[in-house]
């Protein structure tokens, strides 16, 4: 496999008028990239290729990506339709979670002091229950991580399950039910998202209740030990007989503000819990990131990837789908998949 890693200086940075100055760049061959920026400005990128999980970093928006590391080979790795490896970072550890086609979730943990990856650690404590492949992970407070996923245990109906790790992803707690729909199942083919700060843990998912497939948010204020009843987001509803295959995302800003984004029919929304939703565009596969600035959103529509920052019009940054976005300083970096390649472009936020 030939790697095509470029300096981030070569990536298109948008001017104040949000017009692209260069074309998007091919980063490498791969699928479903996820990009995260940590508090020190280091940019972390993971992606899947065949059955291999890759990881690489760049020190900041002016540095080149390092040669990618093969984190693990997971036979029958799932890496399609937002089901790919997921990434979470704390000051001391980096955790990647991934699922195979049999429905088992594994965690791989990097100790940032020793630069050594752990072997695969099971996250689900019942075998082959995560067959839909949708799972998410987040980190907070040094070595604390939380995971959530769609789970078929006991009744073969999808429910939201969770687990936590207090040692940087090396071991995981007994699994617990976060939410079980009284109508039998949550939406079976939509992404689950999770974010945490100290003991507050938020899990976003698409429900299936009374014939409607709306977005719900579950909150724990005791480190994932218990969850309050899940609350519907927004005031509208979406009654649809088919799965939308689209779950949105949830993030916390540096100031602790919770932001959600998701799709209903063909419209994308942002929403603060307990408040009406705000339409932002049409499209699908919307995601969101924050830093010291207001949220930045990315999505795809009709084969093009779009980015929108606060008080700016959306701008198209390249052909493809399934974007992931991160904010470092006053730059938003967006990666996405296009014809078997990981692509990247960026937006200046000032």
């Amino acid at each position: 496999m030939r790697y095509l890693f470029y300096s981030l200086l070569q990536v298109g940075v948008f001017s104040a008028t949000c017009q692209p100055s260069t074309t998007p760049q091919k980063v490498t061959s791969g699928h479903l990239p996820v990009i995260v920026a940590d508090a020190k400005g280091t940019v972390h990128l993971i992606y899947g290729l065949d059955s291999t999980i890759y990881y690489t970093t760049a020190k900041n928006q002016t540095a080149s990506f390092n040669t990618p590391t093969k984190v693990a080979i997971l036979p029958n790795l799932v890496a399609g339709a937002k089901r790919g490896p997921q990434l979470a970072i704390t000051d001391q550890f980096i955790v990647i979670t991934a699922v195979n086609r049999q429905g088992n979730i594994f965690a791989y943990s990097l100790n940032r002091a020793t630069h050594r990856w752990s072997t695969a650690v099971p996250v689900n404590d019942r075998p082959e229950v995560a067959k839909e492949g949708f799972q998410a992970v987040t980190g907070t407070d040094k070595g604390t991580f939380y995971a959530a996923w769609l789970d078929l245990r006991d009744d073969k109906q999808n429910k939201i399950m969770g687990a936590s790790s207090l040692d940087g992803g090396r071991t995981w707690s007994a699994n617990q039910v976060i939410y079980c729909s009284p109508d039998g199942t949550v939406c079976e083919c939509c992404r689950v998202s999770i974010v945490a700060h100290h003991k507050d843990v938020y899990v976003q998912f698409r429900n299936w209740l009374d014939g409607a497939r709306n977005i719900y948010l579950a909150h724990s204020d005791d480190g994932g030990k218990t969850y309050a009843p899940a609350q519907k987001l927004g005031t509208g509803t979406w009654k649809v007989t088919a799965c939308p295959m689209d779950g949105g995302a949830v993030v916390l800003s540096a100031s602790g503000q919770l932001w959600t984004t998701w799709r209903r029919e063909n419209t994308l929304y942002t929403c603060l819990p307990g408040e009406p939703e705000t339409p932002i565009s049409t499209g699908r596969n919307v995601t969101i990131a924050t830093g010291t600035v207001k949220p930045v959103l990315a999505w795809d529509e009709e084969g093009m990837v779009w980015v929108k920052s606060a008080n700016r019009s959306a701008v198209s940054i390249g052909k493809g789908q399934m974007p992931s976005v991160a904010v470092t300083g006053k730059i938003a970096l967006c990666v996405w998949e296009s014809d078997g390649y990981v692509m990247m472009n960026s937006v200046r936020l000032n």
Side-chain angles (χ1 to χ4, degrees), residues 44 55 71 88-96 108-119 142-143 145 167-170:
H44 305 255
Y55 165 81
V71 174
I89 297 170
T90 67
D91 289 343
Q92 296 181 2
F93 296 95
I94 296 169
V95 171
I96 297 172
Y108 306 87
S109 174
L110 175 71
N111 186 316
R112 300 183 74 173
T114 64
H115 305 286
R116 296 181 62 181
W117 285 96
S118 72
T119 56
K142 298 180 180 180
F145 289 83
D167 59 0
R170 259 59 175 183

Side-chain angles (χ1 to χ4, degrees), residues 4-266:
L4 302 173
F5 281 79
Y6 287 83
S7 166
L8 294 182
L9 284 177
Q10 294 174 288
V11 180
V13 177
F14 289 81
S15 66
T17 57
C18 287
Q19 295 301 315
S21 58
T22 66
T23 58
Q25 302 294 326
K26 284 183 180 178
V27 179
T28 181
S29 302
H31 299 283
L32 287 182
V34 174
I35 192 169
V36 175
D38 66 24
K40 295 181 178 179
T42 299
V43 181
H44 305 255
L45 173 68
I46 64 168
Y47 57 93
L49 183 63
D50 299 324
S51 290
T52 303
I53 302 165
Y54 289 91
Y55 165 81
T56 185
T57 63
K59 288 296 183 183
N60 54 54
Q61 64 262 36
T62 64
S64 299
F65 275 112
N66 297 315
T67 301
T69 298
K70 292 182 179 180
V71 174
I73 295 175
L74 178 59
N76 299 310
L77 171 68
V78 175
K82 289 290 184 181
R83 292 174 167 96
Q86 302 298 308
L87 174 64
I89 297 170
T90 67
D91 289 343
Q92 296 181 2
F93 296 95
I94 296 169
V95 171
I96 297 172
T97 54
V99 63
N100 61 16
R101 292 175 187 168
Q102 288 75 30
N104 296 307
I105 305 169
F106 297 94
Y108 306 87
S109 174
L110 175 71
N111 186 316
R112 300 183 74 173
T114 64
H115 305 286
R116 296 181 62 181
W117 285 96
S118 72
T119 56
V121 177
V123 178
N124 51 298
D125 58 12
R126 294 271 294 274
E128 301 183 359
V129 289
K131 290 184 179 294
E132 291 296 342
F134 289 102
Q135 49 89 20
V137 64
T138 191
T140 183
D141 297 337
K142 298 180 180 180
T144 302
F145 289 83
Y146 302 97
W149 63 92
L150 291 181
D151 192 294
L152 290 166
R153 71 185 64 199
D154 296 331
D155 58 2
K156 297 184 179 180
Q157 300 281 356
N158 278 293
K159 57 193 71 64
I160 306 299
M161 296 292 297
S164 61
S165 171
L166 303 180
D167 59 0
R170 259 59 175 183
T171 62
W172 292 83
S173 68
N175 300 171
Q176 68 176 116
V177 178
I178 295 174
Y179 178 83
C180 184
S181 172
D183 280 7
T185 181
V186 298
C187 195
E188 69 276 21
C189 294
C190 283
R191 178 188 182 190
V192 177
S193 299
I194 187 170
V195 69
H197 179 65
H198 298 320
K199 295 293 185 180
D200 286 298
V201 186
Y202 300 89
V203 179
Q204 179 178 299
F205 61 95
R206 191 178 294 278
N207 207 351
W208 190 1
L209 191 61
D210 297 327
R213 304 207 186 204
N214 297 314
I215 298 293
Y216 277 65
L217 187 73
H219 174 222
S220 169
D221 62 6
D222 58 6
K225 295 178 182 178
T226 61
Y227 282 82
Q231 301 296 310
K232 177 180 172 293
L233 293 173
T235 59
T237 193
W238 189 10
K239 291 203 172 185
V240 58
T241 56
C243 181
M245 299 286 290
D246 204 341
V250 58
V251 294
L252 281 162
S253 71
S255 64
Q257 176 65 63
L258 188 74
W259 290 86
T260 76
T261 186
W262 34 272
R263 167 179 160 232
R264 185 172 64 233
E265 297 182 352
N266 198 40

Side-chain angles (χ1 to χ4, degrees), residues 14-20 307 309 312-316 347-348:
F14 289 81
S15 66
T17 57
C18 287
Q19 295 301 315
V307 169
S309 59
R312 299 285 182 87
S313 298
V315 59
S316 174
V347 175
R348 191 180 300 278

